[in-house]
Amino acid sequence: MSSESPTVAVIGGGAAGLTAALFLARAGLAVHVYDQDRSILKRARLCNLPGHDELEGRELLEQLRGELEARSVTRHEGKVDDVVAGGPLLVKAADGELAADYVVLATGQGTVKLPSLPLETAAPRQPFVKVNVVTDKWGATSVPNVYACGVVAGWPSQAVVCAGSGANVAIEIASKVKGEFWVDHDDTRLGADPE
Ligand SMILES: Cc1cc2nc3c(=O)[nH]c(=O)nc-3n(C[C@H](O)[C@H](O)[C@H](O)COP(=O)(O)OP(=O)(O)OC[C@H]3O[C@@H](n4cnc5c(N)ncnc54)[C@H](O)[C@@H]3O)c2cc1C
């Protein structure tokens, strides 16, 4: 990776977007999260998170936001109005413009209104979901260097699934940047007996 880290703009700060941002930051990329703060997690009491009895969705959001702050991820409050492709990806938001090397769409179950972005979309299978952005299994969309994860990418509306899809997209982007498959493991116990 060059001395200047590639910039990734994550649009949407719910389960998928914040998890993508966490993995991207851990991989050493410069990450910006844009969020309107309308995650449906704010209405959820999560009853099926592995390793937890129950967790308020708001609590999960706060924990993730705290982790990102500690990793110097830049948070932008407000809506992204458009993304212009064809060179660096130009993210147009309420607080100004950002030239990004990669964009991750994690906008949840609403409509996607990014008029300049020629995204291939499909009818959603799930209730309450307005549209799905078509991706391959690594989250790549029809627009080069634009990825999608979470409910907008057609994943089941479950926090752990959407978070996992965010991690998946981040691993793909980090692997592209580094030129080899990125594995985010703590290897300090490599070889230790798992007993
Ligand atoms: C009542 C309820 C109960 C639930 N209970 C459970 C449960 O028990 N277990 C479980 O696993 N799941 C549960 N869920 C589902 C879980 O909350 C979702 O699956 C998960 O939040 C989806 O993650 P996401 O990141 O795809 O979308 P979201 O978490 O909705 O995040 C999308 C984010 O994108 C932002 N955004 C959208 N467009 C833009 C834009 N243009 N610019 C900037 N920001 C934008 C939104 O403001 C939002 O913050 C529940 C949901 C509800 C509503």
Side-chain angles (χ1 to χ4, degrees):
M1 200 159 51
S2 71
S3 56
E4 192 149 318
S5 296
T7 298
V8 187
V10 178
I11 306 177
L18 295 184
T19 306
L22 176 63
F23 274 66
L24 289 162
R26 288 177 58 86
L29 280 73
V31 185
H32 293 250
V33 174
Y34 291 85
D35 190 33
Q36 278 185 293
D37 196 19
R38 292 186 186 160
S39 168
I40 56 173
L41 269 181
K42 291 167 78 175
R43 288 188 272 138
R45 175 183 294 160
L46 303 169
C47 49
N48 49 12
L49 278 188
H52 281 274
D53 288 338
E54 271 188 8
L55 185 69
E56 292 297 329
R58 283 177 185 272
E59 214 176 312
L60 179 59
L61 281 175
E62 286 315 309
Q63 285 174 359
L64 282 167
R65 286 173 184 168
E67 286 182 63
L68 296 183
E69 204 177 322
R71 291 185 178 277
S72 303
V73 168
T74 307
R75 183 173 170 86
H76 302 254
E77 308 282 347
K79 187 174 171 224
V80 169
D81 297 308
D82 207 357
V83 176
V84 181
L89 295 155
L90 194 62
V91 178
K92 298 186 170 192
D95 66 351
E97 297 185 352
L98 175 80
D101 299 289
Y102 298 91
V103 165
V104 175
L105 302 174
T107 51
Q109 65 185 22
T111 52
V112 178
K113 288 186 189 152
L114 301 169
S116 301
L117 212 52
L119 291 167
E120 186 186 346
T121 59
R125 285 175 61 205
Q126 293 179 76
F128 310 115
V129 180
K130 299 279 188 247
V131 69
N132 280 166
V133 170
V134 175
T135 71
D136 69 10
K137 73 181 253 192
W138 297 106
T141 71
S142 53
V143 182
N145 296 337
V146 176
Y147 292 76
C149 55
V151 172
V152 73
W155 291 99
S157 187
Q158 302 286 170
V160 70
V161 177
C162 292
S165 76
N168 180 52
V169 157
I171 287 166
E172 176 64 4
I173 293 172
S175 298
K176 268 180 88 170
V177 168
K178 291 170 187 292
E180 60 183 5
F181 197 87
W182 168 245
V183 180
D184 188 2
H185 286 184
D186 174 356
D187 284 342
T188 53
R189 292 183 182 164
L190 207 61
D193 192 331
E195 207 172 299

